PDB file of all heavy atoms in Angstrom:
ATOM      1  N   GLY A 971     107.624 -73.539 -83.101  1.00  0.00           N
ATOM      2  CA  GLY A 971     107.287 -74.918 -82.719  1.00  0.00           C
ATOM      3  C   GLY A 971     108.506 -75.611 -81.955  1.00  0.00           C
ATOM      4  O   GLY A 971     108.326 -76.317 -81.010  1.00  0.00           O
ATOM      5  N   ARG A 972     109.749 -75.336 -82.396  1.00  0.00           N
ATOM      6  CA  ARG A 972     110.904 -75.869 -81.736  1.00  0.00           C
ATOM      7  C   ARG A 972     110.973 -75.321 -80.317  1.00  0.00           C
ATOM      8  O   ARG A 972     111.311 -76.006 -79.353  1.00  0.00           O
ATOM      9  CB  ARG A 972     112.159 -75.527 -82.473  1.00  0.00           C
ATOM     10  CG  ARG A 972     112.347 -76.307 -83.783  1.00  0.00           C
ATOM     11  CD  ARG A 972     113.576 -75.746 -84.572  1.00  0.00           C
ATOM     12  NE  ARG A 972     113.903 -76.577 -85.661  1.00  0.00           N
ATOM     13  CZ  ARG A 972     114.793 -76.213 -86.655  1.00  0.00           C
ATOM     14  NH1 ARG A 972     115.457 -75.096 -86.540  1.00  0.00           N
ATOM     15  NH2 ARG A 972     115.061 -77.082 -87.643  1.00  0.00           N
ATOM     16  N   ALA A 973     110.678 -74.008 -80.160  1.00  0.00           N
ATOM     17  CA  ALA A 973     110.725 -73.437 -78.836  1.00  0.00           C
ATOM     18  C   ALA A 973     109.688 -74.035 -77.908  1.00  0.00           C
ATOM     19  O   ALA A 973     109.998 -74.331 -76.745  1.00  0.00           O
ATOM     20  CB  ALA A 973     110.469 -71.898 -78.924  1.00  0.00           C
ATOM     21  N   ARG A 974     108.478 -74.268 -78.420  1.00  0.00           N
ATOM     22  CA  ARG A 974     107.456 -74.909 -77.594  1.00  0.00           C
ATOM     23  C   ARG A 974     107.900 -76.331 -77.156  1.00  0.00           C
ATOM     24  O   ARG A 974     107.678 -76.711 -76.023  1.00  0.00           O
ATOM     25  CB  ARG A 974     106.139 -75.032 -78.397  1.00  0.00           C
ATOM     26  CG  ARG A 974     105.000 -75.611 -77.644  1.00  0.00           C
ATOM     27  CD  ARG A 974     103.778 -75.652 -78.487  1.00  0.00           C
ATOM     28  NE  ARG A 974     103.230 -74.341 -78.745  1.00  0.00           N
ATOM     29  CZ  ARG A 974     102.567 -73.632 -77.934  1.00  0.00           C
ATOM     30  NH1 ARG A 974     102.261 -74.080 -76.669  1.00  0.00           N
ATOM     31  NH2 ARG A 974     102.158 -72.421 -78.212  1.00  0.00           N
ATOM     32  N   THR A 975     108.529 -77.017 -78.092  1.00  0.00           N
ATOM     33  CA  THR A 975     108.995 -78.403 -77.713  1.00  0.00           C
ATOM     34  C   THR A 975     109.974 -78.433 -76.537  1.00  0.00           C
ATOM     35  O   THR A 975     109.933 -79.167 -75.637  1.00  0.00           O
ATOM     36  CB  THR A 975     109.617 -79.056 -78.928  1.00  0.00           C
ATOM     37  OG1 THR A 975     108.637 -79.218 -79.945  1.00  0.00           O
ATOM     38  CG2 THR A 975     110.208 -80.459 -78.574  1.00  0.00           C
ATOM     39  N   VAL A 976     110.941 -77.472 -76.580  1.00  0.00           N
ATOM     40  CA  VAL A 976     111.903 -77.313 -75.551  1.00  0.00           C
ATOM     41  C   VAL A 976     111.268 -76.920 -74.256  1.00  0.00           C
ATOM     42  O   VAL A 976     111.571 -77.463 -73.158  1.00  0.00           O
ATOM     43  CB  VAL A 976     113.026 -76.303 -75.943  1.00  0.00           C
ATOM     44  CG1 VAL A 976     113.925 -75.978 -74.791  1.00  0.00           C
ATOM     45  CG2 VAL A 976     113.857 -76.940 -77.148  1.00  0.00           C
ATOM     46  N   LEU A 977     110.374 -75.923 -74.333  1.00  0.00           N
ATOM     47  CA  LEU A 977     109.861 -75.336 -73.144  1.00  0.00           C
ATOM     48  C   LEU A 977     108.779 -76.191 -72.396  1.00  0.00           C
ATOM     49  O   LEU A 977     108.492 -76.034 -71.239  1.00  0.00           O
ATOM     50  CB  LEU A 977     109.177 -73.980 -73.443  1.00  0.00           C
ATOM     51  CG  LEU A 977     110.154 -72.892 -73.859  1.00  0.00           C
ATOM     52  CD1 LEU A 977     109.415 -71.731 -74.444  1.00  0.00           C
ATOM     53  CD2 LEU A 977     111.050 -72.456 -72.731  1.00  0.00           C
ATOM     54  N   THR A 978     108.197 -77.184 -73.180  1.00  0.00           N
ATOM     55  CA  THR A 978     107.203 -78.065 -72.597  1.00  0.00           C
ATOM     56  C   THR A 978     107.753 -79.514 -72.331  1.00  0.00           C
ATOM     57  O   THR A 978     106.968 -80.318 -71.982  1.00  0.00           O
ATOM     58  CB  THR A 978     105.922 -78.153 -73.460  1.00  0.00           C
ATOM     59  OG1 THR A 978     106.327 -78.533 -74.758  1.00  0.00           O
ATOM     60  CG2 THR A 978     105.304 -76.773 -73.597  1.00  0.00           C
ATOM     61  N   ALA A 979     109.056 -79.686 -72.512  1.00  0.00           N
ATOM     62  CA  ALA A 979     109.645 -80.960 -72.216  1.00  0.00           C
ATOM     63  C   ALA A 979     109.598 -81.259 -70.710  1.00  0.00           C
ATOM     64  O   ALA A 979     109.576 -80.422 -69.920  1.00  0.00           O
ATOM     65  CB  ALA A 979     111.054 -80.982 -72.719  1.00  0.00           C
ATOM     66  N   PRO A 980     109.483 -82.586 -70.421  1.00  0.00           N
ATOM     67  CA  PRO A 980     109.441 -82.939 -68.969  1.00  0.00           C
ATOM     68  C   PRO A 980     110.548 -82.420 -68.137  1.00  0.00           C
ATOM     69  O   PRO A 980     110.441 -82.076 -67.030  1.00  0.00           O
ATOM     70  CB  PRO A 980     109.411 -84.486 -69.034  1.00  0.00           C
ATOM     71  CG  PRO A 980     108.936 -84.807 -70.435  1.00  0.00           C
ATOM     72  CD  PRO A 980     109.387 -83.783 -71.295  1.00  0.00           C
ATOM     73  N   THR A 981     111.750 -82.368 -68.796  1.00  0.00           N
ATOM     74  CA  THR A 981     113.009 -81.829 -68.084  1.00  0.00           C
ATOM     75  C   THR A 981     113.179 -80.379 -68.543  1.00  0.00           C
ATOM     76  O   THR A 981     113.358 -80.137 -69.729  1.00  0.00           O
ATOM     77  CB  THR A 981     114.212 -82.680 -68.397  1.00  0.00           C
ATOM     78  OG1 THR A 981     113.971 -84.024 -68.094  1.00  0.00           O
ATOM     79  CG2 THR A 981     115.409 -82.101 -67.680  1.00  0.00           C
ATOM     80  N   PRO A 982     113.183 -79.428 -67.573  1.00  0.00           N
ATOM     81  CA  PRO A 982     113.391 -78.014 -67.939  1.00  0.00           C
ATOM     82  C   PRO A 982     114.817 -77.853 -68.553  1.00  0.00           C
ATOM     83  O   PRO A 982     115.731 -78.571 -68.312  1.00  0.00           O
ATOM     84  CB  PRO A 982     113.311 -77.260 -66.673  1.00  0.00           C
ATOM     85  CG  PRO A 982     112.591 -78.192 -65.702  1.00  0.00           C
ATOM     86  CD  PRO A 982     112.966 -79.585 -66.150  1.00  0.00           C
ATOM     87  N   PRO A 983     114.887 -76.864 -69.485  1.00  0.00           N
ATOM     88  CA  PRO A 983     116.216 -76.626 -70.044  1.00  0.00           C
ATOM     89  C   PRO A 983     117.250 -76.206 -69.018  1.00  0.00           C
ATOM     90  O   PRO A 983     116.969 -75.580 -68.038  1.00  0.00           O
ATOM     91  CB  PRO A 983     115.947 -75.418 -71.016  1.00  0.00           C
ATOM     92  CG  PRO A 983     114.410 -75.395 -71.216  1.00  0.00           C
ATOM     93  CD  PRO A 983     113.825 -75.949 -69.947  1.00  0.00           C
ATOM     94  N   ALA A 984     118.479 -76.722 -69.311  1.00  0.00           N
ATOM     95  CA  ALA A 984     119.603 -76.200 -68.497  1.00  0.00           C
ATOM     96  C   ALA A 984     119.795 -74.696 -68.674  1.00  0.00           C
ATOM     97  O   ALA A 984     119.315 -74.129 -69.682  1.00  0.00           O
ATOM     98  CB  ALA A 984     120.858 -76.954 -68.879  1.00  0.00           C
ATOM     99  N   GLN A 987     120.900 -73.519 -72.189  1.00  0.00           N
ATOM    100  CA  GLN A 987     119.788 -73.704 -73.170  1.00  0.00           C
ATOM    101  C   GLN A 987     118.694 -72.695 -72.977  1.00  0.00           C
ATOM    102  O   GLN A 987     118.150 -72.145 -73.915  1.00  0.00           O
ATOM    103  CB  GLN A 987     119.307 -75.073 -73.178  1.00  0.00           C
ATOM    104  CG  GLN A 987     118.285 -75.358 -74.343  1.00  0.00           C
ATOM    105  CD  GLN A 987     117.760 -76.798 -74.350  1.00  0.00           C
ATOM    106  OE1 GLN A 987     117.790 -77.502 -73.321  1.00  0.00           O
ATOM    107  NE2 GLN A 987     117.276 -77.211 -75.530  1.00  0.00           N
ATOM    108  N   VAL A 991     117.466 -70.165 -75.848  1.00  0.00           N
ATOM    109  CA  VAL A 991     116.040 -70.113 -76.340  1.00  0.00           C
ATOM    110  C   VAL A 991     115.462 -68.734 -76.160  1.00  0.00           C
ATOM    111  O   VAL A 991     114.810 -68.183 -77.063  1.00  0.00           O
ATOM    112  CB  VAL A 991     115.210 -71.232 -75.651  1.00  0.00           C
ATOM    113  CG1 VAL A 991     113.763 -70.994 -75.968  1.00  0.00           C
ATOM    114  CG2 VAL A 991     115.689 -72.621 -76.111  1.00  0.00           C
ATOM    115  N   TYR A1052     112.386 -64.723 -68.642  1.00  0.00           N
ATOM    116  CA  TYR A1052     112.819 -66.141 -68.489  1.00  0.00           C
ATOM    117  C   TYR A1052     114.338 -66.226 -68.645  1.00  0.00           C
ATOM    118  O   TYR A1052     114.990 -67.107 -68.059  1.00  0.00           O
ATOM    119  CB  TYR A1052     112.127 -66.980 -69.556  1.00  0.00           C
ATOM    120  CG  TYR A1052     112.432 -68.412 -69.519  1.00  0.00           C
ATOM    121  CD1 TYR A1052     112.238 -69.239 -68.351  1.00  0.00           C
ATOM    122  CD2 TYR A1052     112.905 -69.051 -70.715  1.00  0.00           C
ATOM    123  CE1 TYR A1052     112.549 -70.567 -68.447  1.00  0.00           C
ATOM    124  CE2 TYR A1052     113.185 -70.374 -70.733  1.00  0.00           C
ATOM    125  CZ  TYR A1052     112.984 -71.190 -69.583  1.00  0.00           C
ATOM    126  OH  TYR A1052     113.320 -72.496 -69.593  1.00  0.00           O
ATOM    127  N   GLY A1056     114.889 -68.821 -64.211  1.00  0.00           N
ATOM    128  CA  GLY A1056     114.624 -70.158 -64.798  1.00  0.00           C
ATOM    129  C   GLY A1056     113.546 -70.880 -64.030  1.00  0.00           C
ATOM    130  O   GLY A1056     113.400 -72.119 -64.222  1.00  0.00           O
ATOM    131  N   SER A1057     112.719 -70.209 -63.319  1.00  0.00           N
ATOM    132  CA  SER A1057     111.638 -70.881 -62.536  1.00  0.00           C
ATOM    133  C   SER A1057     110.577 -71.427 -63.469  1.00  0.00           C
ATOM    134  O   SER A1057     110.416 -71.022 -64.599  1.00  0.00           O
ATOM    135  CB  SER A1057     111.039 -69.817 -61.606  1.00  0.00           C
ATOM    136  OG  SER A1057     110.239 -68.854 -62.296  1.00  0.00           O
ATOM    137  N   ALA A1058     109.810 -72.378 -62.909  1.00  0.00           N
ATOM    138  CA  ALA A1058     108.769 -72.983 -63.700  1.00  0.00           C
ATOM    139  C   ALA A1058     107.713 -71.874 -64.064  1.00  0.00           C
ATOM    140  O   ALA A1058     107.075 -71.920 -65.126  1.00  0.00           O
ATOM    141  CB  ALA A1058     108.054 -74.042 -62.890  1.00  0.00           C
ATOM    142  N   ARG A1061     108.921 -70.022 -67.024  1.00  0.00           N
ATOM    143  CA  ARG A1061     108.842 -70.786 -68.238  1.00  0.00           C
ATOM    144  C   ARG A1061     107.383 -70.926 -68.722  1.00  0.00           C
ATOM    145  O   ARG A1061     107.111 -70.828 -69.874  1.00  0.00           O
ATOM    146  CB  ARG A1061     109.444 -72.183 -67.936  1.00  0.00           C
ATOM    147  CG  ARG A1061     109.415 -73.127 -69.133  1.00  0.00           C
ATOM    148  CD  ARG A1061     110.431 -74.290 -68.937  1.00  0.00           C
ATOM    149  NE  ARG A1061     110.275 -74.947 -67.681  1.00  0.00           N
ATOM    150  CZ  ARG A1061     109.629 -76.068 -67.499  1.00  0.00           C
ATOM    151  NH1 ARG A1061     109.014 -76.687 -68.476  1.00  0.00           N
ATOM    152  NH2 ARG A1061     109.510 -76.656 -66.268  1.00  0.00           N
ATOM    153  N   GLN A1062     106.447 -71.133 -67.810  1.00  0.00           N
ATOM    154  CA  GLN A1062     105.098 -71.187 -68.187  1.00  0.00           C
ATOM    155  C   GLN A1062     104.574 -69.922 -68.746  1.00  0.00           C
ATOM    156  O   GLN A1062     103.687 -69.899 -69.689  1.00  0.00           O
ATOM    157  CB  GLN A1062     104.247 -71.675 -66.966  1.00  0.00           C
ATOM    158  CG  GLN A1062     104.415 -73.150 -66.613  1.00  0.00           C
ATOM    159  CD  GLN A1062     104.150 -74.011 -67.849  1.00  0.00           C
ATOM    160  OE1 GLN A1062     103.108 -73.897 -68.520  1.00  0.00           O
ATOM    161  NE2 GLN A1062     105.054 -74.998 -68.056  1.00  0.00           N
ATOM    162  N   VAL A1065     105.405 -70.003 -72.334  1.00  0.00           N
ATOM    163  CA  VAL A1065     104.502 -70.875 -73.084  1.00  0.00           C
ATOM    164  C   VAL A1065     103.123 -70.203 -73.233  1.00  0.00           C
ATOM    165  O   VAL A1065     102.590 -70.311 -74.386  1.00  0.00           O
ATOM    166  CB  VAL A1065     104.320 -72.263 -72.370  1.00  0.00           C
ATOM    167  CG1 VAL A1065     103.281 -73.087 -73.005  1.00  0.00           C
ATOM    168  CG2 VAL A1065     105.716 -72.980 -72.253  1.00  0.00           C
ATOM    169  N   LEU A1068     103.560 -67.760 -75.981  1.00  0.00           N
ATOM    170  CA  LEU A1068     103.582 -68.491 -77.223  1.00  0.00           C
ATOM    171  C   LEU A1068     102.172 -68.826 -77.735  1.00  0.00           C
ATOM    172  O   LEU A1068     101.797 -68.671 -78.908  1.00  0.00           O
ATOM    173  CB  LEU A1068     104.404 -69.747 -77.080  1.00  0.00           C
ATOM    174  CG  LEU A1068     105.889 -69.700 -77.338  1.00  0.00           C
ATOM    175  CD1 LEU A1068     106.529 -71.072 -77.065  1.00  0.00           C
ATOM    176  CD2 LEU A1068     106.164 -69.363 -78.828  1.00  0.00           C
ATOM    177  N   ARG A1161     120.324 -74.064 -78.553  1.00  0.00           N
ATOM    178  CA  ARG A1161     118.959 -73.710 -78.185  1.00  0.00           C
ATOM    179  C   ARG A1161     117.971 -74.980 -78.325  1.00  0.00           C
ATOM    180  O   ARG A1161     116.996 -75.010 -77.578  1.00  0.00           O
ATOM    181  CB  ARG A1161     118.425 -72.579 -78.892  1.00  0.00           C
ATOM    182  CG  ARG A1161     118.452 -72.574 -80.475  1.00  0.00           C
ATOM    183  CD  ARG A1161     118.073 -71.257 -81.015  1.00  0.00           C
ATOM    184  NE  ARG A1161     118.276 -71.141 -82.456  1.00  0.00           N
ATOM    185  CZ  ARG A1161     119.116 -70.385 -83.049  1.00  0.00           C
ATOM    186  NH1 ARG A1161     119.893 -69.623 -82.340  1.00  0.00           N
ATOM    187  NH2 ARG A1161     119.200 -70.360 -84.385  1.00  0.00           N
ATOM    188  N   TRP A1162     118.153 -75.783 -79.279  1.00  0.00           N
ATOM    189  CA  TRP A1162     117.232 -76.897 -79.538  1.00  0.00           C
ATOM    190  C   TRP A1162     117.768 -78.224 -79.061  1.00  0.00           C
ATOM    191  O   TRP A1162     116.906 -79.148 -78.921  1.00  0.00           O
ATOM    192  CB  TRP A1162     116.853 -76.982 -81.011  1.00  0.00           C
ATOM    193  CG  TRP A1162     116.505 -75.717 -81.689  1.00  0.00           C
ATOM    194  CD1 TRP A1162     116.923 -75.224 -82.889  1.00  0.00           C
ATOM    195  CD2 TRP A1162     115.590 -74.699 -81.211  1.00  0.00           C
ATOM    196  NE1 TRP A1162     116.388 -74.064 -83.221  1.00  0.00           N
ATOM    197  CE2 TRP A1162     115.527 -73.696 -82.208  1.00  0.00           C
ATOM    198  CE3 TRP A1162     114.808 -74.549 -80.090  1.00  0.00           C
ATOM    199  CZ2 TRP A1162     114.794 -72.526 -82.067  1.00  0.00           C
ATOM    200  CZ3 TRP A1162     114.044 -73.394 -79.919  1.00  0.00           C
ATOM    201  CH2 TRP A1162     113.992 -72.452 -80.917  1.00  0.00           C
ATOM    202  N   GLY A1163     119.034 -78.384 -78.843  1.00  0.00           N
ATOM    203  CA  GLY A1163     119.597 -79.669 -78.503  1.00  0.00           C
ATOM    204  C   GLY A1163     120.294 -80.290 -79.690  1.00  0.00           C
ATOM    205  O   GLY A1163     119.811 -80.092 -80.820  1.00  0.00           O
ATOM    206  N   VAL A1166     118.222 -82.269 -82.714  1.00  0.00           N
ATOM    207  CA  VAL A1166     117.250 -81.621 -83.596  1.00  0.00           C
ATOM    208  C   VAL A1166     117.955 -81.393 -84.949  1.00  0.00           C
ATOM    209  O   VAL A1166     119.011 -80.781 -85.022  1.00  0.00           O
ATOM    210  CB  VAL A1166     116.758 -80.282 -83.005  1.00  0.00           C
ATOM    211  CG1 VAL A1166     115.938 -79.490 -84.062  1.00  0.00           C
ATOM    212  CG2 VAL A1166     115.906 -80.529 -81.799  1.00  0.00           C
TER     213      VAL A1166
END
Side-chain angles (χ1 to χ4, degrees):
R972 286 172 172 173
R974 181 179 295 280
T975 297
V976 170
L977 294 169
T978 59
T981 302
Q987 186 178 22
V991 170
Y1052 180 58
S1057 68
R1061 179 160 52 97
Q1062 286 305 312
V1065 174
L1068 270 173
R1161 55 186 173 247
W1162 313 133
V1166 172

